[in-house]
Amino acid sequence: MTNTENPSALPAQTLNPPSNPPGGVIIGLDIGGTKTHGIRFENGIPVADESAGSSNVQNVTRDEAARNLASLFGRIGGGTVSHVYAGSGGIDTEEDAAALAGLIEPHVPDAHITVVHDSRLLLAAGHAGTGVAVIAGTGSAAWGRNADGAEARAGGWGYLLGDEGSGYWLGREAVRYSLRRMNQGLPVDQLSAALLASCGVDHPNRLIAQFHSPDTGRRFWAQQARHVVEAAAAGHPASQELLEQAGQDLAGLALQVLHQLEIPGPVILGGGLGMNVVPLQDSFRRHLAEAGVTDVRVLDQEPVFGVLQLLAEQA
């Protein structure tokens, strides 16, 4: 039974679980550009927590997505499951949702399957029924809902059209920075040296072919964002400016949605970068504060735990 909505160590507990957690066996999936995170809940208690590669068909082939889901369900268990609730990037149409549900269904043939955009999980995991969720991970997007049930979103167009403030954006900007220095006749500096070493090349000019090579892709370049974060922490001015710009761009996504929905907040920041990179968080908060938005929160648990809240709201 499928419902497609549009737009291992176990954790000790779910932070602030809903007061009436849904019963039965529920599987929550959070599908990002790099990994698929799955948790099996039994009567609201997480009993299995596993991850596999991405099963987002915008980032991997359909066959690879199917293999990664098979690997995940092989470890998290299928069988008698009452509901699978999956949040994924790139769920922009009913067809997108139905395609992902079709990959999940063989593993849980009797389950009710709901597929939504992954930012919806983030808002619920942030203990908010209304507000704006901003994802800063491999990609970036903002989604929100107001008290009347109206929804709006900004960004989430994918790495070729946007994804400002994301891991991919930072990785690409590190490459562009290194190439600009090369063209200006400047020596390799701290950030460029780390990038070259990570990419296994000895000169910035070789980054051009590698960036366009079919052997690298969105995930590879998103992983290079760590060099920007590390260089910024070591005092590298250009890397600090990149994190400042990332926070500003993400705040801009949030403001677009807040204005569309005519709400003051809250704004919840999640994703791998959003939850872990303090300078980006500081920039994000500061630019929102300058626009009068003060209720800004950094997600305090993995987005997949929002599944329980979403199902409790449906009950």
Side-chain angles (χ1 to χ4, degrees), residues 29-297:
L29 300 176
D30 178 26
I31 302 170
T34 302
K35 70 175 184 178
T36 301
H37 183 197
I39 295 185
R40 184 184 184 94
F41 299 95
E42 296 184 1
N43 296 319
I45 305 299
V47 298
D49 186 334
E50 298 285 351
S51 293
S54 177
S55 49
N56 183 330
V57 293
Q58 290 195 352
N59 299 306
V60 299
T61 65
R62 182 178 176 85
D63 287 344
E64 186 176 353
R67 287 195 299 270
N68 288 333
L69 283 170
S71 173
L72 180 69
F73 276 98
R75 286 176 283 127
I76 208 170
T80 303
V81 175
S82 58
H83 204 133
V84 175
Y85 206 112
S88 175
I91 301 301
D92 300 316
T93 66
E94 291 290 337
E95 290 77 15
D96 293 333
L100 179 55
L103 292 175
I104 294 170
E105 190 169 15
H107 305 287
V108 283
D110 298 321
H112 188 99
I113 301 172
T114 300
V115 175
V116 298
H117 194 276
D118 54 357
S119 51
R120 186 170 298 190
L121 296 185
L122 197 155
L123 188 65
H127 323 299
T130 62
V132 176
V134 178
I135 293 176
T138 302
S140 65
W143 173 86
R145 180 173 61 185
N146 64 20
D148 295 328
E151 299 179 6
R153 60 177 293 183
W157 302 338
Y159 69 101
L160 290 176
L161 294 174
D163 277 356
E164 294 86 351
S166 68
Y168 176 86
W169 182 87
L170 281 172
R172 186 193 66 189
E173 291 306 302
V175 173
R176 287 162 56 89
Y177 169 81
S178 300
L179 294 174
R180 282 195 297 270
R181 287 186 63 87
M182 176 191 72
N183 287 345
Q184 294 165 3
L186 297 173
V188 169
D189 68 356
Q190 177 182 358
L191 175 59
S192 297
L195 182 63
L196 292 174
S198 178
C199 294
V201 296
D202 59 4
H203 193 278
N205 195 48
R206 296 184 182 276
L207 291 171
I208 300 172
Q210 190 173 38
F211 192 85
H212 294 288
S213 169
D215 295 330
T216 62
R218 184 186 184 206
R219 286 177 290 171
F220 176 85
W221 295 109
Q223 290 167 355
Q224 307 314 309
R226 69 185 186 276
H227 303 303
V228 178
V229 176
E230 292 167 0
H236 186 252
S239 295
Q240 292 171 339
E241 291 172 7
L242 284 175
L243 293 182
E244 172 69 21
Q245 185 64 51
Q248 181 177 356
D249 289 342
L250 293 166
L253 294 179
L255 289 171
Q256 286 183 53
V257 179
L258 289 171
H259 292 158
Q260 284 180 267
L261 296 176
E262 300 181 322
I263 56 177
V267 176
I268 298 165
L269 179 63
L273 286 175
M275 294 173 69
N276 295 294
V277 180
V278 173
L280 184 150
Q281 296 169 2
D282 291 342
S283 173
F284 183 73
R285 291 181 187 275
R286 184 170 59 256
H287 287 286
L288 286 173
E290 290 171 358
V293 180
T294 56
D295 189 354
V296 181
R297 314 169 191 175

